[in-house]
């Protein structure tokens, strides 16, 4: 079906003209990412060359997508904006709050009952403000967006870090916090630093066990989790034409793990086919008419080093199946090398569970290729060693896969089919195990493998792989099994080999959401109650939040800056090593409080490692001298009207877009985050919530910060773009040290800080 068709027609009617104007203004050929960016400037008066990596630019995205965990806070903020309806097409997707326990048949009804209050809120607020609502069970946000909303040349923001998934269909799709989404929903400019451009030249053709997932797993090994910060990865070359649209989406999806703003592929025949196969023939025709501008200009392809800030050369024919991890997605290892690496690092080599799904790898093609391996295990009588869990990406995918026998292939070897939802990928896995602290290994087709993320066990070694390799390793039960070279024992003791995976890009009988009971006619997701389209009959809908609710809480504005410097702040925590948004604001069971700022603030930084004792959630409260949970210490400081500060290392806030990781410290009166460097989304989220985000000019100054320090931050009265702040440490022994810190705030962001938050500033 074609949703928001009027917006799409208007977009394509002007897109090529806008690109031509941008080409003239810049006086040179353009890359594809540049075309999309410049075609979405908030005002034509802004049309001028912008400096990549430096200039802040105002954009006007075409749409907004929100998942249920983050939509709560985003829409609570939107409700304070005084608008009658959203200014651009928007959608809410209920995919994060559903636990993966025993299977879809029981888990989905349980989720509907457990989360009824939140689902009712999201449903009514969507109806009230003209937002499309995708009910629990409809599917994972990014798969549903790809099937229904993504379109070549468009720009979208989403309140989830893996929004760049839509780049597989040629969009600039960027993960943001809820406050950024509110800017777009209220027709305000959406501000973004003009990204650097990393060109990825693909040649060759994938073969054997290699998959699109292995392309991004290899690139992660090259660039690391920081290598894409403030950059767009633009893919080009003959190799792109050999990849399916869903395969490209997988690659773009995990560009988030590079810290990239987003990733994008040019429009081609695969994109055209995907649009047509998903019943969007008119959009395919409109895109075809604009085909020339849905790719980079020829000059950029001919001399990429002149148009991109960095160029990577990737030969798809040389790609091997990868197994990335544990604990970080950039620990890239070809599976052929895992035996030696596992032995050297004392990895638990037994694979206990294989998990297939997530927004990264739950398409029909993914399930088809994975099912071809499962089918072989049954046909060749191979003993399956590990547990298998499958999460289809959408109801359309699930029904079609069931109709075509793919789900039966998984079930025959003992797999459990979970709900069409994120499930284990974001910590919503009720793992059935004898010991949830035991050292063990799992393999997933997900995107992230941070410590504790999937099952809460800090000793679970999670490795990221393609769906087909995940199935193979679960069957074999070993991390060091290489399906391209190794054999397995069947039930009779014979040694047999698994053939290479295969599967259709599209279902031979076409996609379907189901059939009407007792009839041969097809049904729709709307008829199944899984999708409610925006309606103009909405103004009388009441959005209610119970005053005593522990799931939802109306937001009170944060206080504006009082005009004073910050003196003698206690150190709340100095974190050591990786500190992602999972460490700052855990998911899992805490997802239920995503609409209640006070309650979810109890998880503040509970996963971060204290640099002074190596422990998590155990910091010294300088008021009473006791060691306690991070949130408890922060609450004590707040109760005494004492602001506090957090000090951290590189890439602070890596991972999810969750703005709770910025709102929680703000709520508990943490005023400054001082780090060696920030992840892009999190730094923006901190600025939006009126926090001061500073970085060490000399990273070695991190070592000077002591546990009992009282820290002053001076420089607010001269706060301006490019200014520095002076950090003064008063040590317990009476000695004093000072050093300089820097920031990246522009004039508008400084105004946010002074107003107390971006939302306060907008309300003024």
């Amino acid at each position: 079906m074609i949703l928001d068709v009027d917006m799409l027609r208007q977009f394509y009617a002007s897109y090529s003209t806008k690109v031509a104007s941008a080409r003239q203004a810049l006086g040179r050929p353009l890359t594809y990412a540049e075309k999309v960016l410049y075609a979405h400037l908030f005002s034509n008066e802004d049309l001028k060359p912008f400096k990549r990596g430096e200039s802040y630019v105002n954009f006007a995205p075409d749409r907004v997508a929100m998942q249920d965990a983050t939509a709560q806070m985003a829409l609570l903020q939107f409700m304070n904006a005084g608008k009658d309806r959203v200014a651009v097409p928007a959608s809410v997707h209920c995919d994060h709050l559903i636990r993966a326990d025993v299977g879809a048949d029981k888990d989905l009804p349980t989720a509907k009952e457990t989360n009824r209050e939140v689902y009712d809120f999201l449903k009514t607020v969507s109806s009230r403000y003209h937002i499309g609502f995708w009910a629990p069970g409809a599917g994972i946000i990014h798969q549903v967006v790809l099937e229904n909303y993504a379109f070549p040349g468009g720009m979208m923001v989403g309140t989830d870090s893996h929004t760049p998934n839509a780049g597989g269909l040629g969009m600039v799709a960027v993960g943001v916090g809820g406050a950024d989404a509110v800017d777009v929903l209220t027709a305000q400019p959406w501000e973004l630093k003009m990204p650097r451009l990393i060109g990825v030249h693909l040649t060759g053709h994938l073969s054997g066990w290699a998959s699109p997932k292995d392309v991004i797993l290899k690139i992660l090994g090259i660039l690391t989790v920081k290598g894409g910060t403030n950059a767009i990865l633009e893919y080009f070359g003959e190799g792109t034409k050999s990849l399916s649209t869903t395969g490209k989406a997988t690659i773009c999806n995990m560009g988030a793990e590079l810290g990239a703003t987003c990733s994008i592929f040019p429009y081609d025949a695969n994109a055209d086919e995907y649009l047509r196969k998903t019943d969007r023939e008119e959009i395919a025709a409109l895109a075809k008419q604009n085909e020339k501008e849905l790719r980079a200009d020829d000059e950029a392809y001919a001399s990429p080093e002149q148009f991109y800030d960095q160029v990577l050369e990737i030969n798809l024919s040389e790609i091997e199946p990868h197994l990335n991890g544990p604990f970080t997605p950039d620990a890239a290892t070809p599976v052929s090398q895992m035996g030696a690496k596992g032995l050297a690092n004392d990895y638990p080599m037994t694979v206990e569970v294989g998990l297939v799904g997530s927004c990264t790898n739950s398409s029909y093609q993914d399930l088809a290729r994975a099912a071809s391996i499962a089918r072989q295990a049954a046909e060749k009588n191979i003993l399956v060693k590990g547990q298998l869990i499958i999460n289809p990406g959408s109801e359309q995918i699930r029904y079609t896969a069931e109709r075509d026998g793919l789900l039966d292939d998984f079930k025959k070897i003992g797999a459990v089919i979970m709900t069409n939802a994120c499930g284990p990928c974001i910590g919503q896995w009720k793992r059935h195990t004898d010991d949830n602290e035991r050292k063990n290994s799992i393999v997933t087709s997900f995107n992230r493998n941070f410590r504790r993320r999937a099952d809460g066990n800090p000793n679970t070694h999670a490795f990221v792989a393609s769906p087909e390799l995940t199935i193979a390793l679960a069957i074999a039960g070993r991390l060091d099994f290489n399906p391209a070279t190794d054999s397995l024992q069947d039930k009779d003791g014979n040694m047999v080999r698994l053939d290479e995976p295969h599967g259709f890009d599209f279902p031979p009988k076409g996609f379907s959401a189901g059939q009407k009971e007792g009839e041969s006619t097809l049904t729709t997701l709307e008829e199944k109650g899984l999708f409610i389209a925006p309606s103009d009959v909405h103004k009388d809908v009441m959005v209610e939040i119970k005053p005593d609710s522990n799931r939802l809480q109306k937001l009170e504005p944060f206080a504006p800056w009082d005009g004073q410097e910050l003196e003698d702040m206690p150190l709340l925590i100095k974190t050591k090593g990786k500190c992602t948004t999972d460490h700052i604001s855990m998911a899992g069971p805490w997802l239920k409080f995503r609409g209640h700022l006070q309650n979810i603030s109890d998880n503040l930084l509970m996963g971060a490692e204290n640099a002074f004792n190596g422990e998590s959630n155990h910091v010294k409260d300088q008021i009473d001298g006791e060691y306690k949970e991070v949130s408890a210490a922060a609450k004590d400081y707040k109760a005494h009207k004492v602001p506090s500060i957090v000090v951290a290392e590189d890439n602070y806030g890596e991972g999810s877009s969750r703005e709770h990781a910025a709102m929680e410290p703000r709520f508990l009166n943490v005023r400054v985050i001082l780090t060696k460097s920030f992840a892009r989304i999190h730094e923006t989220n901190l600025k939006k919530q009126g926090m001061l985000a500073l970085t060490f000019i000399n990273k070695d100054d991190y070592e000077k910060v002591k546990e009992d320090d009282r820290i002053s931050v001076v420089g607010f009265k001269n706060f301006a773009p490019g200014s520095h702040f002076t950090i003064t440490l008063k040590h317990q022994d009476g000695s004093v040290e000072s050093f300089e810190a820097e920031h990246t705030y522009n004039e508008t962001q400084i105004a946010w800080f002074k107003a107390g938050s971006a939302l306060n500033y907008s309300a003024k």
Side-chain angles (χ1 to χ4, degrees):
M1 67 183 148
I2 300 178
L3 302 173
D4 309 316
V5 66
D6 290 338
M7 178 272 288
L8 291 164
R9 289 168 179 163
Q10 292 173 18
F11 167 79
Y12 283 116
S14 62
Y15 173 71
S16 291
T17 301
K18 290 180 178 179
V19 172
S21 297
R23 189 183 291 109
Q24 182 177 6
L26 271 65
R28 60 169 175 80
L30 303 175
T31 74
Y32 180 32
E34 287 179 315
K35 292 180 180 183
V36 180
L37 290 168
Y38 278 94
H40 285 87
L41 294 178
F42 186 79
S43 170
N44 289 333
E45 296 176 0
D46 296 335
L47 183 53
K48 62 184 179 182
F50 293 101
K51 192 163 185 179
R52 298 175 192 164
E54 294 187 18
S55 300
Y56 282 94
V57 185
N58 289 328
F59 292 103
D62 300 301
R63 66 171 305 105
V64 175
M66 297 166 279
Q67 42 95 336
D68 50 356
T70 52
Q72 297 171 64
M73 197 60 70
L75 292 174
L76 285 167
Q77 292 177 84
F78 177 79
M79 288 169 64
N80 286 344
K83 303 292 184 180
D84 280 333
R85 62 183 286 169
V86 294
V88 300
S91 55
V92 167
H93 305 258
C94 297
D95 63 352
H96 272 55
L97 299 178
I98 303 169
R99 294 293 299 273
D101 184 1
V102 295
D105 290 346
K106 293 185 178 179
D107 293 349
L108 184 56
T110 298
K112 289 179 178 178
E113 185 60 35
T114 302
N115 303 309
R116 181 181 300 279
E117 181 181 6
V118 173
Y119 292 149
D120 285 349
F121 166 73
L122 293 174
K123 182 178 178 180
T124 54
V125 78
S126 295
S127 179
R128 169 68 180 82
Y129 294 108
H130 205 261
I131 299 169
F133 178 75
W134 297 81
I140 304 173
I141 177 172
H142 307 306
Q143 180 65 39
V144 173
V145 165
L146 196 70
E147 293 174 0
N148 296 278
Y149 293 120
F151 61 97
M155 175 182 276
M156 175 177 70
V157 298
T159 60
D160 188 280
S161 56
H162 291 102
T163 299
N165 190 82
L169 201 47
M171 291 193 86
V172 165
V174 184
V176 299
D180 274 16
V182 171
D183 284 346
V184 182
L185 293 173
T186 55
Q188 295 181 75
W190 172 58
E191 184 186 73
L192 178 72
K193 184 180 288 186
M194 181 59 80
R196 296 180 300 111
L197 297 180
I198 299 175
V200 185
H201 184 207
L202 299 183
T203 58
H205 194 288
L206 293 172
S207 62
W209 282 83
S211 74
K213 183 67 162 280
D214 299 304
V215 178
I216 189 61
L217 295 181
K218 180 179 177 65
I219 292 173
L220 272 158
I222 297 170
L223 293 179
T224 79
V225 291
K226 297 184 291 184
T229 303
N230 290 322
I232 291 178
L233 271 72
E234 181 175 331
Y235 292 83
F236 65 95
E238 285 299 310
T240 63
K241 298 177 182 179
S242 67
L243 300 173
S244 68
T245 293
T246 52
K248 292 170 184 172
T250 292
I251 293 170
C252 292
N253 180 295
M254 279 197 71
E257 274 52 74
L258 297 163
T261 302
C262 65
S263 303
I264 191 168
F265 277 85
Y267 174 82
D268 60 16
N270 291 308
D272 180 82
E273 185 178 18
Y274 187 81
L275 287 168
R276 295 180 187 280
K277 295 287 188 181
T278 51
D279 295 328
R280 290 176 284 174
E281 290 86 356
E282 181 180 351
I283 308 309
L286 291 171
K288 190 72 173 176
Q289 293 170 13
N290 289 267
E291 184 174 15
K292 179 184 175 183
E293 304 299 5
L294 296 173
R295 59 191 292 278
D297 289 332
D298 290 339
E299 293 87 343
Y301 291 151
S303 302
E305 66 284 348
Q306 296 180 22
F307 292 86
Y308 299 96
D309 300 289
Q310 181 180 355
V311 178
L312 296 182
E313 296 285 345
I314 303 292
N315 185 345
L316 299 178
S317 301
E318 297 175 354
I319 294 288
E320 297 180 59
H322 274 61
L323 196 56
N324 283 28
F327 309 131
T328 183
D330 58 353
T333 306
V335 71
S336 61
Q337 300 174 21
M338 184 51 73
K341 186 173 182 179
L343 181 64
N345 291 278
D346 193 30
Y347 297 156
M349 298 305 289
T350 298
V351 175
E352 298 191 10
V353 189
L355 302 109
V356 170
S358 87
C359 62
T360 316
N361 281 112
S362 56
S363 68
Y364 184 89
Q365 182 189 30
D366 288 325
L367 294 186
R369 285 175 62 87
S372 75
I373 305 303
R375 193 179 311 124
Q376 290 181 59
E379 293 172 348
K380 297 181 179 183
N381 295 314
I382 299 171
L383 296 168
V384 179
K385 305 290 178 49
Q387 181 187 5
L388 279 168
I389 292 174
I390 312 294
N391 281 78
S394 69
E395 176 58 15
Q396 179 168 271
I397 297 297
R398 187 212 63 79
Y399 176 82
T400 306
E402 181 180 54
R403 180 200 67 192
D404 294 352
L406 303 184
L407 298 190
D408 282 341
D409 289 327
F410 294 123
K411 292 176 182 178
K412 286 176 183 176
I413 61 171
V416 178
I417 311 299
M418 296 294 184
T419 312
N420 314 318
C422 304
C425 185
I426 42 83
Q428 288 285 60
W429 181 22
K430 187 176 180 180
R431 186 174 180 184
H432 299 272
T433 178
D434 56 341
D435 181 2
N436 206 39
E437 293 293 317
R438 179 174 50 81
K439 187 176 179 180
N440 72 100
S441 287
I442 64 174
V443 179
T444 81
S445 73
F446 306 161
N447 39 50
R448 293 190 176 131
N449 54 353
F450 304 145
R451 197 182 295 270
R452 294 188 177 94
R453 183 173 175 92
D455 61 359
N457 181 358
N459 296 308
T460 291
H461 291 53
F463 295 85
V464 179
S466 66
E468 46 267 51
L469 184 60
T470 297
I471 296 289
L473 296 183
I475 291 170
R478 296 282 301 175
L479 282 177
D480 55 0
F481 173 70
N482 183 355
T485 59
D486 299 343
S487 299
L488 295 169
Q489 192 174 61
D490 69 10
K491 294 178 181 178
D492 299 320
N494 302 309
M495 301 306 293
V496 296
R497 292 272 293 275
L498 292 172
D499 299 325
E500 294 175 355
H502 62 87
F504 295 106
D505 291 3
F506 299 99
K509 299 178 184 177
F511 288 110
S512 174
Q515 286 186 323
K516 295 180 180 179
E517 190 172 349
E519 301 180 26
S520 59
T521 55
L522 298 180
T523 188
T524 67
L525 292 170
E526 286 183 275
E527 290 171 332
K528 294 177 81 167
L530 293 176
F531 173 60
I532 301 175
S535 169
D536 288 327
V537 184
H538 63 279
K539 290 187 177 182
D540 295 332
V541 173
M542 295 296 296
V543 181
E544 294 186 6
I545 300 174
K546 298 176 184 176
D548 59 347
S549 171
N550 74 342
R551 297 291 299 271
L552 296 164
Q553 180 186 50
K554 289 185 177 180
L555 291 174
E556 296 297 330
F558 291 128
W561 176 53
D562 62 5
Q564 302 301 310
E565 307 285 359
L566 290 171
E567 309 256 11
D568 295 325
M569 292 182 292
L571 174 69
L572 178 61
I573 185 174
K574 176 180 174 180
T575 71
K576 180 181 178 182
K578 187 185 282 287
C579 193
T580 71
T581 49
D582 274 27
H583 295 86
I584 304 167
S585 175
M586 281 193 176
W590 290 93
L591 284 171
K592 64 185 178 183
F593 296 128
R594 285 285 181 84
H596 199 292
L597 183 55
Q598 180 177 336
N599 285 348
I600 199 170
S601 293
D602 287 343
N603 77 4
L604 176 65
L605 283 157
M606 66 184 300
E609 180 181 344
N610 184 346
F612 300 110
N613 58 22
E615 297 183 39
S616 297
N617 215 20
H618 196 60
V619 298
K620 187 175 184 178
D621 182 340
Q622 291 189 37
I623 290 178
D624 60 18
E626 300 291 327
Y627 280 87
K628 56 188 66 171
E629 294 177 347
V630 181
S631 62
K635 288 177 184 177
D636 195 21
Y637 296 142
K638 181 179 180 180
H640 286 84
K641 295 182 169 51
V642 176
S644 59
I645 180 173
V646 170
V647 174
E649 295 201 75
D650 272 311
N651 211 33
Y652 181 80
E654 172 192 342
S656 169
S657 67
R658 67 191 67 150
E659 66 185 336
H660 301 77
M663 298 184 80
E664 290 175 37
R666 182 75 169 96
F667 178 76
L668 293 177
N669 206 28
V670 178
R671 298 308 311 278
V672 182
I673 309 293
L674 173 62
T675 78
K676 294 181 179 180
S677 65
F678 286 100
R680 176 193 62 84
I681 299 176
H682 188 63
E683 183 178 20
T684 300
N685 286 346
L686 290 168
K687 292 176 179 180
K688 287 278 186 176
Q689 301 305 331
M691 296 282 288
L692 184 65
L694 298 179
T695 54
F696 294 98
I697 293 176
N698 179 0
K699 291 186 179 184
D700 291 339
D701 288 335
Y702 167 89
E703 304 297 336
K704 297 176 180 178
V705 181
K706 308 302 180 187
E707 185 173 31
D708 294 294
D709 283 349
R710 286 287 177 147
I711 304 173
S712 296
V713 178
V714 176
F716 291 97
K717 293 179 180 178
N718 298 308
F719 194 3
S723 67
H724 287 177
F725 281 79
T726 299
I727 312 298
T728 301
L729 309 175
K730 294 181 181 178
H731 301 311
Q732 194 174 42
D733 63 5
S735 62
V736 176
E737 292 184 87
S738 294
F739 54 84
E740 297 291 293
E742 59 188 357
H743 66 84
T744 61
Y745 288 72
N746 61 26
E747 292 285 2
T748 300
Q749 294 166 347
I750 292 170
W752 297 344
F753 174 84
K754 292 179 177 179
S757 71
L759 198 60
N760 289 358
Y761 176 75
S762 299
K764 290 168 61 179

